[in-house]
Amino acid sequence: MELKNAILELLRRAATDLPPDIEKALKEAHDREGEGTPARAVFKTILKNVELARKQSTPICQDTGSLIFYIDFPVGDTEEKYRKAIEEAAIEATKKQYLRPNAVNPITGKNSGTNVGINHPYIHFHQWDKDEVRIRLLLKGGGSENVGTQYKLPDSSLGAGRDLKGIRKVIIDAVLKAQGKGCSPGTIGVGIGGDRVTSYILSKEQFFRKIGERHPEKDIAELEKALYDDLNKLGIGPMGFGGKTTVLDVFIDYQHRHPATFFVAISYNCWAFRRKALAIKNGEVSYDD
Amino acid sequence: MTIKLKTPISEEDIRKLKVGDEVLLSGIIVTARDQAHKLMVEEKPDFIRDYLKESVIYHCGPVVRKNEDGSWSFVSAGPTTSIREEPYQADVICEYNVRGVIGKGGMGKKTLDGFKRCGAVYFHAVGGAGTLIANTVKRVVDVLKLEEFGTPEAFWVIEVEDFPLVVTMDSHGNSIHEEVLEKSTEVAKELLNK
């Protein structure tokens, strides 16, 4: 039962308490916009909403997203134990209105009403050598998920080849096409290489990084910084009203690819970037962002 | 400068609004999403007609709580993506004499033409501001089609106070969404050639 309660609290925190690095980036974005502009008004509303949600313990956004769990667990534990606790916690969190029921059967159109369904919540298991548990959670909204996309290089319509220059081009194209529709300013996760599936997975995993956390390799870190500057020149701004901040950060990573393929997957996270983690060590539960 | 508006809104007042105006909206409005729009176009039901007259439609699938006395409260209620209603919106506005639509992401040409023809605007709410917007909902006046459509898709008739909005499409054929798309496309072209 204790595990279920710890996960319930993790869900509550994720839905109602925006991580400090995201809030700080939004505050800085607010300060950059001129007095009396719609962009500044939007940031003001966003920041007020973040504060209210935290105080009232109600969802920041009514779309409490898809539940994406990453679990690292010690040898000897069963996956089943975690799956059961997550499902019970999701059901209870939905009853308590921390979560909106967001699991819909695509064939019948029926909403399960509990956030539990086939492969929902999504759980990624990883066994490690440590004698402790780490559970990381993303609540990923549907509007921003709809603007995510995948490119196959070379892409002749964009003149994008199989190199860093080509990668840069498709990322600019993806953010241009998203406009304000993913609830900008967004955070961009990019997965280079792998196959159709793993490139998307890698792009999503970037959302466990914190704002300003650069890739350890210099070339990639520089591309991230250059793209942050370029994408903010697009002028799309918050909600697509026009403004100085279109993205909060760009996170890129890569993996080896098949010689014949070159995929670049781009995931978009809305400004309501909901990410939380918990650790269990010696029976003690602690939370982090 | 922020403009205060209260429903019912006259055609004259709505035509005074232009893109970029910040508005605080009060009065009775109605939530409607995909199933509701389909119904309004295909069957033109009368049960919603009085509520919609000179009022505003809100594209929203709220998180609601049923209180012990049977009444409802809005817990989190930000806007949903509006473009899904593009095939229906202009017809709904003209048929039901609606003065505006609240949502996010903006809408297309067909709706913009409808705004011009029948006197309505697009009010953009802040996507993701679910808690703040729910706090502006003072009471739930009525709910229709709840059983059939479910919570997110039902018609929620609500009274709001000082709901913060920005006009991004007006009744004179202007759209911030089109402007931003054009400008950002120009910038992107330069960046792509670098």
Side-chain angles (χ1 to χ4, degrees):
Chain A
M1 263 317 95
E2 209 169 295
L3 181 61
K4 184 210 80 179
N5 287 336
I7 294 167
L8 178 65
E9 173 61 10
L10 182 70
L11 284 165
R12 187 194 69 78
R13 287 181 186 228
T16 65
D17 180 18
L18 198 74
D21 58 319
I22 308 293
E23 195 176 359
K24 182 169 167 272
L26 290 167
K27 275 186 185 144
E28 288 164 0
H30 167 272
D31 296 345
R32 277 195 289 272
E33 301 291 351
E35 283 293 347
T37 58
R40 195 174 171 106
V42 170
F43 282 120
K44 210 174 123 195
T45 301
I46 285 175
L47 290 166
K48 216 158 115 188
N49 179 63
V50 167
E51 206 182 302
L52 274 172
R54 188 176 289 134
K55 210 187 310 173
Q56 294 177 189
S57 189
T58 49
I60 297 164
C61 176
Q62 78 292 338
D63 179 4
T64 52
S66 291
L67 281 52
I68 304 169
F69 284 94
Y70 271 69
I71 302 186
D72 306 285
F73 65 103
V75 178
D77 265 3
T78 65
E79 292 184 2
E80 202 42 37
K81 171 176 127 184
Y82 294 98
R83 187 181 304 281
K84 205 165 159 265
I86 283 174
E87 290 186 355
E88 285 172 4
I91 291 167
E92 201 170 325
T94 311
K95 274 190 199 148
K96 288 179 178 287
Q97 283 114 21
Y98 300 151
L99 301 177
R100 184 177 75 178
N102 271 356
V104 179
N105 181 318
I107 308 302
T108 64
K110 199 173 166 359
N111 191 320
S112 75
T114 60
N115 272 305
V116 175
I118 298 169
N119 202 21
H120 204 282
Y122 174 77
I123 310 170
H124 178 96
F125 288 102
H126 172 244
Q127 196 176 55
W128 63 3
D129 290 336
K130 296 181 191 173
D131 192 23
E132 57 187 73
V133 182
R134 180 176 67 165
I135 303 180
R136 293 178 295 168
L137 168 65
L138 290 174
L139 300 180
K140 176 94 176 38
S144 67
E145 191 63 9
N146 276 333
V147 300
T149 185
Q150 189 177 52
Y151 293 84
K152 188 173 63 154
L153 297 184
D155 184 315
S156 56
S157 69
L158 293 167
R162 292 183 159 188
D163 51 23
L164 281 182
K165 267 176 120 173
I167 290 162
R168 173 182 168 272
K169 284 185 177 180
V170 298
I171 296 169
I172 291 170
D173 187 60
V175 175
L176 174 71
K177 288 201 173 116
Q179 290 288 303
K181 291 194 285 280
C183 279
S184 53
T187 304
I188 312 302
V190 182
I192 302 166
D195 62 21
R196 287 275 184 197
V197 176
T198 57
S199 64
Y200 264 129
I201 292 176
L202 188 64
S203 72
K204 284 267 178 69
E205 286 173 350
Q206 302 316 304
F207 294 141
F208 289 115
R209 286 161 68 179
K210 290 184 182 171
I211 299 292
E213 194 181 319
R214 295 278 62 88
H215 193 278
E217 289 178 29
K218 194 168 157 260
D219 286 356
I220 308 291
E222 276 173 5
L223 180 62
E224 289 173 343
K225 280 194 279 187
L227 271 164
Y228 172 80
D229 291 338
D230 282 346
L231 294 171
N232 283 323
K233 285 180 196 147
L234 289 174
I236 294 166
M239 294 295 130
F241 290 3
K244 292 175 181 151
T245 306
T246 298
V247 299
L248 296 179
D249 209 344
V250 183
F251 300 129
I252 303 173
D253 203 0
Y254 69 90
Q255 57 199 340
H256 282 70
R257 62 179 175 86
H258 182 281
T261 67
F262 199 126
F263 295 110
V264 181
I266 296 161
S267 288
Y268 194 107
N269 210 337
C270 55
W271 69 257
F273 185 134
R274 287 152 292 172
R275 171 200 69 214
K276 292 279 163 179
L278 76 76
I280 307 172
K281 204 174 175 181
N282 304 322
E284 294 270 319
V285 180
S286 60
Y287 295 91
D288 194 7
D289 295 298
Chain B
M1 200 189 67
T2 309
I3 299 160
K4 287 215 171 201
L5 273 182
K6 189 167 184 191
T7 61
I9 307 169
S10 69
E11 186 174 344
E12 194 192 340
D13 282 346
I14 218 74
R15 291 212 185 261
K16 283 182 195 156
L17 296 175
K18 16 179 232 319
V19 292
D21 283 345
E22 288 172 38
V23 170
L24 289 173
L25 182 71
S26 300
I28 290 172
I29 64 171
V30 182
T31 73
R33 291 175 51 127
D34 313 346
Q35 295 192 50
H37 278 81
K38 190 164 177 283
L39 182 83
M40 286 188 282
V41 167
E42 288 177 358
E43 297 180 22
K44 302 188 172 52
D46 287 326
F47 65 80
I48 200 70
R49 200 169 287 278
D50 288 347
Y51 286 131
L52 286 181
K53 191 171 184 261
E54 305 204 306
S55 181
V56 172
I57 286 177
Y58 182 21
H59 297 153
C60 170
V63 176
V64 295
R65 181 176 59 233
K66 190 162 195 176
N67 302 314
E68 281 178 10
D69 64 1
S71 65
W72 298 94
S73 297
F74 270 40
V75 177
S76 192
T80 190
T81 304
S82 298
I83 197 70
R84 292 197 305 271
E85 315 316 336
E86 181 67 11
Y88 312 112
Q89 201 66 72
D91 294 342
V92 167
I93 283 164
C94 295
E95 168 70 26
Y96 287 95
N97 208 7
V98 180
R99 287 284 164 257
V101 176
I102 304 170
K104 70 165 167 132
M107 300 190 75
K109 182 136 191 353
K110 194 179 168 198
T111 303
L112 193 62
D113 290 344
F115 289 161
K116 207 170 169 179
R117 196 167 68 243
C118 298
V121 301
Y122 186 84
F123 296 107
H124 204 297
V126 176
T131 281
L132 182 133
I133 296 169
N135 281 11
T136 73
V137 178
K138 294 302 147 193
R139 81 191 159 102
V140 175
V141 177
D142 201 354
V143 56
L144 299 149
K145 290 278 171 187
L146 179 60
E147 282 292 306
E148 200 179 322
F149 290 174
T151 302
E153 297 280 338
F155 291 94
W156 293 91
V157 183
I158 54 177
E159 186 181 348
V160 297
E161 191 181 309
D162 291 342
F163 185 162
L165 301 161
V166 174
V167 177
T168 58
M169 296 164 70
D170 63 24
S171 63
H172 311 290
N174 304 306
S175 165
I176 285 188
H177 306 285
E178 274 180 20
E179 283 169 31
V180 171
L181 178 64
E182 274 171 30
K183 278 191 203 154
S184 57
T185 303
E186 282 305 307
V187 178
K189 262 187 212 156
E190 279 171 35
L191 291 172
L192 290 173
N193 286 331
K194 238 172 50 180

